[in-house]
Amino acid sequence: MLMLGAAGVVYGDIGTSPIYALRETLRAATNGASVASKAEIIGSLSIIVWALTIIVTLKYALIVLRAGNQGEGGTLSLAILARKVAGRAQYIVTALGVIGAALFFGDAFITPAISVLSAVEGFVLTDPDIAGYVIPITAGILITLFAVQRFGTSKVSAVFGPVMLVWFGCLTISGLSHILDDPSVFRALDPLEAIAFALDHSTVALAVAGAAFLSVTGAEALYVDLGHFGRTPIIHTWFVLVFPALVINYLGQGAFLLSNAGFVDQPLFEMMPGWGRIPIILLATAATVIASQAVISGAFSMARQAAQLHLLPRLTIIHTSETQSGQIYLPQINWLLLLGVLSLVLGFGSSDAIAAAYGISISGQMLVTTLLLALVMRGVWRWPLALVVVVAILFAAIDAMFLTANMMKFFEGGWVSVFMSSALLTIMVVWTRGSKRLFDKTRKHEIPLTTLITSLRKNMPHQVPGTAIFMTGDQDSAPTSLMHSLKHYKVLHEQNLIMTIKTLPVPFVEDEDRLTITAVDDSFTKLTVSYGYMEDPNIPGALKELRKKGIKFDIMSTSFFLSRRMLVPASSGLLKSLMTRSFIRLTRFAADPTSFFRLPTGRVVEIGTQVVL
């Protein structure tokens, strides 16, 4: 069952690449001509087959999937794992993790656009008059896909695996039915054919490599979804089902082209019998929707991780399943993705044009993964230095080659991927730097908690029954909300908890490690609530453990005090002022702390204060 689920979620993206990968590779090899020679077909096929073998099979399936952080994968998880052994290079490792996350979001915009659009374009083969309706149909499918995200994917996911199983079965059968059309296509299995093609066609070799890279986009999903299915089911699904189906289908497409004078249009759909074209196009459309769903879900998970690690503002997180914590819906991310995807579809107008924008972000992310993996291989797994150097150089050279090849398409559309990734990276940098400035600014005006307690002992204000919880990011300083409460109300609760919420560099925190309690005196207690970066804070749920630790606690007689800061930009230089104003705007998009931390709305007191940044 896990293998079936992996087929539907993990391999949705890479599984739909036969729709366009060989087509675009041959167009690059022929400089856009509609007819490809035998050498160009076999050479292009060889590059695709060995890209699948080295990048997906050797790098990701056999090596990268071993780098689980308590079973979780993804660029941020890998960066956290590498930081443990990075020493003085921790900041560099963190920066690489942030860059990798930004590049993932850049890919998340492009995958739904090119996948769905390329499938819908297949209908033109059945009726050329449909050409004028391709864009509206694609836009309608995408709008529907993003609109239903708020209902959750649990029910839809139940059919993902079976649909993709049928899809891979069709790829295999269609490939086998044509693979003997020209047996010389088996020469593509020889890696020397790829090398010979690159040497004989040096003027287009990089362009061909950039197009062939379309066949391995989605490889990162093997690692991103590690926590959902586990290493073993993902690997078994690849070797038993996906890898054979892809190779057989690509070889079948190549043999079909060789037997039809090398005419390149839509080989995957054209090689189908007439009666089977509409069904396979419908199945391809369903498969591309599934591929898009996998990327969207991955973007939700990555955004949650980034927010928990304080790389992004707090985001509204809606759980769409009562049993699966990973099934979440983030409305801000959802509508941002839809806006970007529709802009790409309307702006480029065809899958051929969007293909130029595809590849830069994901090849850059693969290079980041290789650099971080080198640290893990040496520092965590204790591999011999010589082996680490050889493996890292091999993978880094291949990743760098594909990145260079994709960068050649920068002015043809690749700039879109760079722009989107850079925009997300800029948001992360502005948020992290702005948050640090805000923390440092507010801390200057706060007094040590011990100093306040000493002062209160000398002149104790009137005490009222109940518990007050003051939420703060710095337990050593008196919370601003506590100071203003004393100033305006001139009362103190019998029991006061100074609460700090921390995100630890682990995916999940065990219940027994959730709370850390430090008694200060009879009236004040420091309380630290810890979560992993894959968890959503649930303060009332965590506080249930207080009774077991000897603290009397009744949430219905407890008041939660929060500080709401009104940020005002100070007069400063142009660049600093621009970053400050951008940070202030980002704070307005942050989720309300009451709902984010699941606090009871009737028990929350917010006290405002103005801060000049």
Side-chain angles (χ1 to χ4, degrees):
M1 291 303 298
L2 286 173
M3 289 177 63
L4 188 62
V9 177
V10 177
Y11 295 107
D13 188 3
I14 199 170
T16 54
S17 58
I19 298 175
Y20 48 79
L22 180 59
R23 179 192 72 195
E24 296 302 323
T25 305
L26 289 175
R27 287 179 178 173
T30 60
N31 277 319
S34 58
V35 178
S37 67
K38 185 171 186 176
E40 290 168 338
I41 293 173
I42 292 177
S44 297
L45 273 175
S46 185
I47 293 174
I48 289 175
V49 169
W50 284 98
L52 287 169
T53 302
I54 295 175
I55 294 180
V56 187
T57 304
L58 181 59
K59 178 181 176 180
Y60 280 92
L62 298 182
I63 299 180
V64 175
L65 285 181
R66 297 184 59 202
N69 187 356
Q70 292 187 11
E72 292 295 328
T75 306
L76 290 176
S77 290
L78 184 61
I80 292 170
L81 195 63
R83 278 190 59 179
K84 298 177 182 178
V85 295
R88 296 180 179 179
Q90 285 190 0
Y91 289 106
I92 297 176
V93 170
T94 302
L96 285 174
V98 172
I99 291 172
L103 290 170
F104 176 84
F105 282 113
D107 174 61
F109 284 100
I110 301 174
T111 295
I114 189 173
S115 298
V116 177
L117 185 55
S118 61
V120 175
E121 286 173 342
F123 284 104
V124 178
L125 293 176
T126 62
D127 186 356
D129 293 335
I130 296 179
Y133 299 96
V134 167
I135 298 299
I137 293 173
T138 301
I141 293 174
L142 290 170
I143 291 173
T144 303
L145 174 64
F146 282 93
V148 300
Q149 292 300 311
R150 63 191 180 94
F151 298 111
T153 59
S154 56
K155 294 182 180 179
V156 180
S157 298
V159 301
F160 279 8
V163 169
M164 291 306 296
L165 187 62
V166 173
W167 170 252
F168 286 120
C170 290
L171 290 182
T172 304
I173 294 171
S174 63
L176 287 173
S177 64
H178 288 281
I179 203 168
L180 295 180
D181 287 358
D182 192 327
S184 65
V185 74
F186 288 105
R187 288 167 47 193
L189 298 177
D190 183 357
L192 296 178
E193 291 289 345
I195 296 173
F197 176 84
L199 294 175
D200 295 339
H201 299 78
S202 57
T203 57
V204 296
L206 273 179
V208 172
F213 185 76
L214 293 170
S215 64
V216 297
T217 56
E220 195 74 17
L222 276 69
Y223 188 42
V224 172
D225 290 316
L226 179 62
H228 292 282
F229 300 98
R231 177 171 176 262
T232 301
I234 292 176
I235 290 178
H236 286 176
T237 305
W238 173 252
F239 283 106
V240 174
L241 176 65
V242 181
F243 188 39
L246 293 178
V247 172
I248 290 172
N249 187 264
Y250 279 124
L251 292 177
Q253 287 189 46
F256 173 78
L257 291 171
L258 289 172
S259 64
N260 285 273
F263 181 75
V264 181
D265 188 14
Q266 296 268 18
L268 177 65
F269 298 133
E270 290 176 332
M271 62 195 272
M272 298 292 173
W275 58 266
R277 285 187 180 178
I278 291 181
I280 196 66
I281 292 171
L282 291 173
L283 181 60
T285 304
T288 56
V289 170
I290 291 173
S292 302
Q293 178 64 61
V295 172
I296 295 168
S297 300
F300 290 164
S301 297
M302 185 73 77
R304 176 172 67 173
Q305 290 184 36
Q308 290 293 78
L309 293 170
H310 309 296
L311 299 174
L312 289 175
R314 290 188 304 266
L315 298 169
T316 301
I317 300 174
I318 301 173
H319 288 262
T320 58
S321 172
E322 296 180 357
T323 58
Q324 300 294 325
S325 62
Q327 293 186 13
I328 55 177
Y329 169 63
L330 281 68
Q332 297 104 316
I333 301 298
N334 186 67
W335 301 122
L336 177 65
L337 284 174
L338 175 59
L339 179 62
V341 170
L342 288 180
S343 298
L344 288 174
V345 170
L346 298 175
F348 284 90
S350 70
S351 60
D352 292 344
I354 296 179
Y358 207 19
I360 293 180
S361 57
I362 198 66
S363 57
Q365 188 185 15
M366 288 182 175
L367 181 58
V368 168
T369 297
T370 297
L371 297 176
L372 295 174
L373 182 66
L375 285 173
V376 173
M377 288 189 295
R378 179 58 179 166
V380 179
W381 299 342
R382 302 296 181 184
W383 282 16
L385 180 60
L387 179 60
V388 172
V389 170
V390 170
V391 172
I393 289 178
L394 171 64
F395 290 154
I398 294 174
D399 294 335
M401 178 197 71
F402 278 120
L403 179 59
T404 303
N406 284 305
M407 287 299 294
M408 292 179 61
K409 302 182 291 184
F410 182 84
F411 294 105
E412 300 173 21
W415 62 270
V416 173
S417 177
V418 175
F419 172 78
M420 290 181 173
S421 299
S422 299
L424 266 298
L425 180 61
T426 301
I427 290 174
M428 292 182 183
V429 171
V430 168
W431 182 257
T432 52
R433 293 189 63 179
S435 299
K436 186 178 184 304
R437 280 190 61 203
L438 177 60
F439 179 81
D440 293 340
K441 184 82 173 180
T442 54
R443 191 171 187 179
K444 289 180 181 178
H445 299 286
E446 294 174 347
I447 64 173
L449 180 61
T450 53
T451 302
L452 174 65
I453 293 175
T454 301
S455 175
L456 291 175
R457 287 172 181 166
K458 296 178 181 178
N459 186 19
M460 181 63 71
H462 178 69
Q463 287 190 292
V464 296
T467 301
I469 296 180
F470 298 93
M471 301 181 69
T472 178
D474 179 17
Q475 284 188 335
D476 295 327
S477 300
T480 303
S481 55
L482 171 58
M483 297 299 295
H484 282 275
S485 177
L486 290 170
K487 176 181 177 181
H488 294 287
Y489 304 140
K490 297 180 174 57
V491 296
L492 188 69
H493 284 72
E494 290 178 340
Q495 181 172 242
N496 300 276
L497 303 180
I498 309 301
M499 178 191 289
T500 299
I501 300 172
K502 288 187 176 180
T503 302
L504 302 182
V506 294
F508 304 97
V509 173
E510 298 294 334
D511 289 339
E512 56 267 24
D513 300 325
R514 183 80 63 199
L515 300 180
T516 302
I517 301 172
T518 305
V520 180
D521 66 1
D522 293 338
S523 299
F524 286 90
T525 301
K526 292 182 180 180
L527 176 64
T528 301
V529 186
S530 300
Y531 291 96
Y533 59 82
M534 289 295 292
E535 297 181 285
D536 299 327
N538 184 349
I539 301 304
L543 294 180
K544 292 179 181 178
E545 298 294 318
L546 283 176
R547 297 187 187 92
K548 299 179 182 179
K549 297 181 180 292
I551 297 179
K552 294 181 180 180
F553 175 76
D554 179 12
I555 197 168
M556 296 313 297
S557 62
T558 298
S559 297
F560 294 84
F561 287 84
L562 308 178
S563 297
R564 180 175 289 276
R565 299 182 178 93
M566 185 176 70
L567 306 181
V568 179
S571 299
S572 55
L574 179 61
L575 180 59
K576 188 175 180 180
S577 176
L578 181 61
M579 291 192 66
T580 300
R581 293 179 183 276
S582 299
F583 172 72
I584 292 174
R585 286 186 177 274
L586 285 176
T587 60
R588 297 170 184 169
F589 288 98
D592 179 70
T594 300
S595 59
F596 184 79
F597 295 116
R598 303 190 190 181
L599 303 177
T601 55
R603 308 302 307 174
V604 175
V605 178
E606 293 189 357
I607 299 178
T609 182
Q610 181 173 292
V611 179
V612 179
L613 285 179

